């Protein structure tokens, strides 16, 4: 929309979070600070667009009921936008109307919007300068949401805006003279996989708390977030075995860990005798947790030498998942998931006891299934082993303190992707496929499809897109669907929990699913298939008897989120009005065919019939990420019914 005032004038004053960030950046570099100020309104709009999209899709505060899509020709202000339609959203109690240019309409009732956004009240228009202006409207419309949870959500958006501006301005500063495609930047780097994780700047594509780093200063957020590519000095401690629990996939836990890190055993042997070493577990600790939490909450254990810091560190880098640290190729040491008392997206990212204890056990079950069921032969998909886990556990602590202290000190070791992939392939986190940067708008998924189109001489980009996503979807579905249907295991296979490898002609090679913390298992069904869960952690949230919960987990993460985001990016890269519909129809066919293939290996097909009736119905559940936050239901998922692009009539 046309507006001749500068962004700096539009921002009347900075929030505390923005000022805090700016003050720090000014102490580092004046050019970066100027760029921070120049992208601030853009950053606010990026958080606002996530909020508006969520509100409409979730019908939050009934705003979808009171929305309409109007032509840009009917918009009452002069407008400078390439888009044809505008979302008009009315707030009856406020007497306000929100206007948002629509950048795309997509499957599962998704409407993407882009700033600038405007409010109209009494025929007067005002530029929306911050997402919390929209939140105020929501709370007026739905007063019962004006509670502690929504106040925290307000703080979350403040923090997300500031961190978005830090990241966008840093990217502008460091890539000012770079104009290659993002795919070329990734492929040409020393470590394409790590570079792909660092390329995802904006975080969760739909969550208003996409860049949340509550609990950190701007300085530590920059030091430890993936997009800044800083070396992170991983710390280690020793925990006496009386106050710790461990789990290992193959070997003795300590033997496994010492074998991975050169010099670690020597450093420990300077502190303890060989006999005493056997009485301790070795544990890595995130340096932020080491500095901010360990020295504050574990003083008694340190003084009594139940917990002993080790004079040893090693270089790692942050992944997109803030608490997962990754070595740089050619290092082949494990990826490590750690506890950090930092509020990211919807929760504080400590590490639960169940994650460290269950990960290797889930790995063992998955590997047995893959090795013995012919459904998993000759597919282009696999899982990444979780090798070992450990967490603090002092049985002398009170039950409430016990949980807090155990979750603050935990670690999970995961197989390094470079030990698994085929040579001459490009490993990337799928989140990066839909990313871009300030000097080049082309997303890696589009760059890959163009390579694929050129190499194989497709008649059109659209035809190449259909074949490209068909191969990708087939690989993902070949893994996640049989695990769910036949064994009751719902992998949380969203973009961030996956690694995809690509051939140099742009085509798909293999997809790998990692991170078993958030999966769901239909416990009785898995037990029925011959796999025991008796040794899983007693607090295991991943085990459930709610079949709908298991279905929603696999469907939301794999289909709605993972494939959905890729398909949106493809749809936005073409002028074809039918391409997205064609792709979803094709994916419906893949799912149906795969279900028939699975049924041939099962005696009782009634389960498949039930799944088909949900999967291919005209409406399907969508997880309400914003509603859950405002209603303070982080541990309980809230869903709304949306149109299902996979719909097919069944006999």
């Amino acid at each position: 929309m046309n507006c001749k005032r500068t962004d700096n004038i539009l921002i009347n004053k900075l929030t505390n979070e923005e000022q805090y960030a700016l003050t720090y950046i000014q102490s580092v570099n004046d050019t970066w600070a100027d760029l921070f100020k120049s992208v601030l309104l853009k950053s606010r709009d990026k958080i606002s667009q996530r909020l508006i999209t969520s509100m409409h899709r979730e019908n939050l505060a009934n705003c979808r009921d009171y929305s309409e899509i109007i032509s840009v020709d009917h918009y009452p202000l002069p407008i400078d936008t390439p888009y044809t339609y505008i979302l008009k959203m009315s707030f009856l109690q406020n007497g306000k109307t929100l206007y948002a240019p629509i950048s795309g309409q997509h499957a599962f009732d998704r409407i993407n919007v882009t700033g600038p956004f405007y409010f109209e009240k009494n025929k007067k228009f005002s530029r929306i300068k911050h997402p919390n202006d929209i939140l105020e409207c929501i709370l007026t419309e739905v007063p019962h949401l004006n509670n502690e949870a929504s106040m925290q959500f307000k703080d979350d958006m403040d923090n997300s805006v500031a961190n978005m501006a830090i990241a966008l301005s840093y990217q502008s500063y460091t890539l000012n003279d770079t104009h290659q495609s993002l795919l070329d930047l990734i492929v040409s780097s020393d470590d394409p996989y790590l570079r792909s994780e660092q390329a995802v700047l904006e975080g969760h594509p739909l969550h208003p708390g996409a860049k949340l780093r509550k609990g950190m200063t701007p300085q530590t957020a920059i030091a430890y977030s993936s997009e800044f590519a800083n070396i992170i000095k991983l710390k280690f401690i020793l925990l006496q075995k009386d106050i710790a629990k461990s789990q290992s996939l193959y070997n003795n836990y300590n033997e496994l860990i010492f074998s991975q890190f050169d010099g670690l055993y020597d450093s420990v042997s300077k502190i303890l005798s060989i006999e005493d070493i056997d009485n301790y577990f070795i544990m890595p600790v995130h340096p932020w947790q080491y500095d901010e939490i360990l020295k504050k909450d574990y003083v008694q254990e340190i003084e009594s030498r139940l917990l002993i810091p080790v004079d040893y560190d090693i270089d790692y880098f942050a992944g997109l998942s803030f608490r997962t640290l990754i070595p740089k190729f050619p290092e082949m040491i494990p990826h490590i998931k750690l506890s950090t008392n930092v509020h990211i997206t919807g929760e504080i990212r400590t590490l639960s006891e169940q994650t460290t204890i269950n990960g290797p056990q889930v790995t063992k079950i998955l590997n047995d299934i893959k090795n013995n069921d012919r459904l998993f032969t000759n597919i282009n998909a696999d899982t990444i082993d979780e090798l070992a886990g450990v967490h603090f556990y002092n049985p002398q602590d009170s039950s409430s303190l016990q949980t807090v202290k155990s979750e603050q000190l935990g670690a999970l070791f995961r197989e390094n992707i470079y030990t698994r992939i085929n040579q001459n392939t490009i490993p990337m986190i799928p989140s990066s496929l839909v990313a871009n940067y300030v000097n080049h708008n082309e997303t890696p998924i589009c760059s890959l499809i163009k390579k694929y189109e050129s190499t194989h001489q497709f008649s059109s980009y659209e035809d190449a897109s259909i074949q490209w996503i068909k191969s990708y979807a087939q690989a993902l579905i070949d893994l996640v669907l049989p695990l769910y249907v036949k064994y009751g295991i719902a992998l949380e296979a969203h973009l961030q929990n996956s690694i995809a490898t690509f051939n140099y002609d742009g085509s798909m090679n293999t997809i790998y699913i990692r991170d078993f913390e958030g999966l769901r298992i239909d416990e009785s069904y898995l037990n029925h298939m011959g796999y025991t869960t008796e040794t899983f952690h007693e607090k295991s949230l991943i085990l459930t008897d709610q079949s709908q919960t298991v279905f929603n987990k696999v469907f939301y993460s794999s289909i709605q989120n993972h494939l959905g985001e890729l398909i949106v990016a493809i749809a936005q890269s073409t002028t074809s009005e039918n391409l997205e519909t064609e792709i979803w129809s094709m994916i419906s066919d893949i799912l149906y065919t795969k279900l028939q293939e699975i049924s041939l290996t099962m005696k009782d097909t009634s389960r498949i019939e039930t799944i088909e009736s949900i999967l291919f119905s005209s409406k399907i559940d969508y997880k309400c990420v914003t509603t859950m936050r405002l209603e303070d239901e982080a541990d309980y998922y809230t869903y709304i019914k949306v149109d299902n692009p996979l719909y097919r009539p069944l006999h």
Side-chain angles (χ1 to χ4, degrees):
M1 300 181 183
N2 80 343
C3 182
K4 296 181 180 180
R5 292 171 294 175
T6 66
D7 288 353
N8 286 341
I9 295 174
L10 278 169
I11 301 173
N12 293 329
K13 63 178 182 177
L14 302 186
T15 66
N16 290 339
E17 294 276 7
E18 292 164 351
Q19 185 61 61
Y20 192 19
L22 177 60
T23 300
Y24 173 71
I25 294 172
Q26 284 172 329
S27 73
V28 175
N29 184 282
D30 288 338
T31 302
W32 183 5
D34 288 340
L35 288 167
F36 176 89
K37 289 182 283 187
S38 73
V39 302
L40 193 48
L41 194 59
K42 179 181 178 181
S43 302
R44 292 176 173 187
D45 282 346
K46 283 183 177 293
I47 302 302
S48 292
Q49 74 185 45
R50 287 165 165 78
L51 179 58
I52 295 166
T53 295
S54 292
M55 288 165 54
H56 184 268
R57 202 175 191 184
E58 301 172 19
N59 200 24
L60 180 58
N62 299 112
C63 66
R64 183 170 178 175
D65 294 336
Y66 297 104
S67 293
E68 60 178 311
I69 296 172
I70 63 172
S71 167
V72 69
D73 296 333
H74 296 146
Y75 183 65
L77 278 183
I79 187 168
D80 180 17
T81 178
Y83 303 112
T84 307
Y85 296 102
I86 291 177
L87 179 64
K88 178 182 178 182
M89 186 181 292
S90 298
F91 296 93
L92 302 187
Q93 299 301 317
N94 289 271
K96 289 184 176 180
T97 302
L98 184 151
Y99 291 92
I102 296 173
S103 58
Q105 298 181 61
H106 304 286
F108 303 110
D109 296 356
R110 175 170 169 177
I111 291 181
N112 280 359
V113 296
T114 185
F117 308 111
Y118 280 80
F119 274 136
E120 180 269 324
K121 184 173 184 177
N122 298 326
K123 298 183 179 180
K124 293 182 179 179
F125 286 81
S126 58
R127 170 72 152 87
I128 297 175
K129 299 169 188 169
H130 196 283
N132 282 331
D133 297 340
I134 303 170
L135 179 60
E136 288 181 10
C137 278
I138 296 173
L139 300 183
T140 302
E141 298 295 309
V142 191
H144 79 268
L145 294 180
N146 195 352
N147 53 31
E148 185 177 345
S150 62
M151 291 304 98
Q152 178 177 302
F153 187 71
K154 174 183 179 295
D155 293 341
D156 291 355
M157 289 197 294
D158 278 345
N159 186 268
S160 288
V161 166
N163 284 311
M164 183 76 80
I166 294 172
L168 288 174
S169 57
Y170 181 78
Q171 187 186 71
S172 295
Y173 176 59
T174 55
L175 296 179
N176 181 57
D177 298 323
T178 303
H179 297 275
Q180 295 170 274
S181 71
L182 185 54
L183 180 65
D184 286 342
L185 291 179
I186 290 169
V187 173
S188 63
S189 68
D190 295 335
D191 184 341
Y193 174 67
L194 177 58
R195 182 66 180 86
S196 77
E197 293 244 5
Q198 295 168 344
V200 185
L201 201 69
E202 296 187 22
H204 195 297
L206 299 173
H207 201 296
K211 296 299 294 181
L212 196 59
R213 295 288 186 272
K214 282 174 72 175
M216 305 192 85
T217 65
Q219 182 177 5
T220 53
I222 291 166
Y224 297 129
S225 297
S226 60
E227 57 265 37
F228 304 101
N230 289 311
I231 293 173
I232 294 175
K233 295 288 187 181
L234 181 66
K235 304 287 188 179
F236 283 83
I237 61 172
L238 290 162
L239 283 178
Q240 194 174 93
K241 289 183 177 179
D242 290 342
I243 60 163
K245 292 183 178 181
S246 74
Q247 186 71 249
S248 185
L249 180 59
Y250 300 120
N251 307 319
N252 170 281
Y253 170 84
N254 272 356
E255 288 179 4
L256 174 65
I257 306 311
F258 284 131
S259 71
Q260 296 293 322
F261 299 96
D262 290 341
L264 178 57
Y265 186 84
D266 291 340
S267 294
V268 171
S269 65
K270 293 176 182 177
I271 304 172
L272 300 172
S273 67
I274 294 174
E275 294 78 14
D276 283 343
I277 291 174
D278 289 338
N279 297 322
Y280 287 81
F281 289 125
I282 187 74
M283 176 193 283
V285 180
H286 192 288
W288 187 89
Q289 199 78 350
Y290 189 92
D291 292 336
E292 301 293 332
I293 304 298
L294 186 74
K295 297 174 182 178
K296 180 181 70 175
D297 292 355
Y298 300 86
V299 174
Q300 183 177 339
E301 288 83 0
I302 292 172
E303 290 177 347
S304 61
R305 287 180 65 82
L306 293 170
L307 187 162
I308 305 174
V310 179
D311 185 17
Y312 178 93
D313 59 46
I314 191 168
D315 291 353
Y316 267 77
F317 292 84
L320 173 58
S321 174
F322 176 86
R323 56 183 167 164
T324 298
L325 300 188
I326 303 168
K328 189 171 185 177
F329 183 82
E331 284 283 4
M332 294 292 191
I333 52 181
H335 297 188
I336 306 178
K337 187 172 186 175
L338 297 164
S339 295
T340 54
N341 285 42
V342 179
H343 198 147
I344 298 173
T345 312
E347 59 188 71
I348 295 175
R349 297 298 176 172
T350 51
L351 198 62
S352 69
E353 298 171 15
Q354 64 135 350
T355 299
T356 57
I357 296 301
N358 291 345
Q361 297 186 80
V362 171
T363 297
K364 194 170 292 185
I365 291 172
L366 289 172
N367 288 345
D368 189 78
I369 290 171
K370 291 182 299 179
N371 290 333
N372 291 288
D373 190 328
R374 62 182 176 84
L375 285 170
F376 300 95
T377 59
N378 299 317
I379 66 171
N380 296 320
D382 208 343
T383 52
I384 298 294
D385 289 353
E386 298 196 341
L387 304 171
V390 63
H391 68 264
F392 179 94
Y393 182 84
N394 190 343
Q396 303 305 314
D397 288 335
S398 64
S399 58
S400 59
L401 184 62
Q402 196 175 76
T403 298
V404 171
K405 292 181 73 173
S406 68
E407 293 186 352
Q408 287 184 161
L409 278 185
L412 182 74
F413 295 84
R414 187 179 297 140
E415 184 180 16
N416 188 309
I417 186 60
Y418 283 105
T419 66
R420 179 69 70 91
I421 65 174
N422 296 328
Q423 290 186 343
N424 299 318
T425 60
I426 307 161
M428 298 171 62
I429 184 172
S431 299
S432 70
L433 294 175
V434 297
N436 53 30
Y437 74 104
V438 63
N439 291 342
H440 206 295
N441 288 326
E442 186 172 276
T443 58
I445 190 173
C446 297
S447 300
L448 286 166
I449 292 171
K450 287 179 179 179
K451 282 180 179 287
Y452 184 56
E453 176 192 6
S454 175
T455 303
H456 297 279
Q457 298 182 330
F458 282 92
S459 60
S460 69
Y461 174 81
E462 288 73 23
D463 286 346
S465 296
I466 291 173
Q467 290 305 311
W468 190 95
I469 196 67
K470 181 178 181 180
S471 296
Y472 192 106
Q474 186 73 62
L476 182 61
I477 289 166
D478 280 345
L479 180 67
V480 300
L481 196 62
L483 282 174
Y484 162 65
V485 173
K486 199 169 177 181
Y487 298 93
I489 300 173
L491 296 177
E492 191 178 29
H494 54 59
L495 294 171
Q496 188 172 304
N497 276 1
S498 309
I499 300 172
T501 59
F502 300 97
N503 302 311
Y504 279 87
D505 69 349
S507 62
M508 173 79 181
N509 185 280
T510 308
I511 191 162
Y512 303 87
I513 307 304
R514 62 180 178 181
D515 198 341
F516 308 140
E517 180 177 21
L519 59 69
R520 290 294 181 271
I521 295 175
D522 187 327
E523 184 174 19
S524 62
Y525 199 82
L526 182 63
N527 296 160
H528 168 71
M529 292 302 294
Y531 292 95
T532 181
T533 50
E534 289 183 358
T535 56
F536 278 38
H537 196 277
E538 63 269 18
K539 298 177 184 176
S540 293
L541 296 176
I542 65 174
L543 301 176
T544 181
D545 59 0
Q546 301 295 314
S547 59
Q548 187 66 37
T549 297
V550 183
F551 174 87
N552 284 341
K553 173 64 70 171
V554 70
F555 184 79
Y556 173 77
S557 61
S558 303
I559 308 301
Q560 285 183 337
N561 178 290
H562 194 142
L563 293 180
E565 291 303 317
L566 300 185
I567 293 167
V568 165
I570 293 171
Q572 290 176 336
S573 69
T574 175
T575 58
S576 170
E577 296 182 359
N578 301 317
L579 181 59
E580 184 172 359
T581 301
E582 289 180 39
I583 291 173
W584 281 114
S585 179
M586 176 263 293
I587 289 174
S588 179
D589 290 342
I590 292 174
L591 288 164
Y592 181 79
T593 301
K594 193 66 184 182
L595 285 169
Q596 307 319 302
E597 182 185 345
I598 297 168
S599 72
L600 297 176
T601 71
M602 298 174 66
K603 293 180 180 178
D604 182 5
T605 60
S606 60
R607 176 172 168 84
I608 287 183
E609 292 169 2
T610 300
I611 291 169
E612 284 182 339
S613 69
I614 302 171
L615 184 60
F616 300 122
S617 64
S618 60
K619 297 281 187 178
I620 201 154
D621 284 345
Y622 169 74
K623 188 166 75 172
C624 300
V625 294
T626 301
T627 302
M628 286 163 55
R629 288 299 318 282
L630 291 176
E631 294 184 348
D632 198 18
E633 294 185 356
D635 294 330
Y636 300 94
Y637 291 153
T638 302
Y639 294 91
I640 193 170
K641 293 291 184 183
V642 296
D643 289 334
N644 184 8
L646 303 172
Y647 169 71
R648 62 193 302 135
L650 299 171
H651 300 298

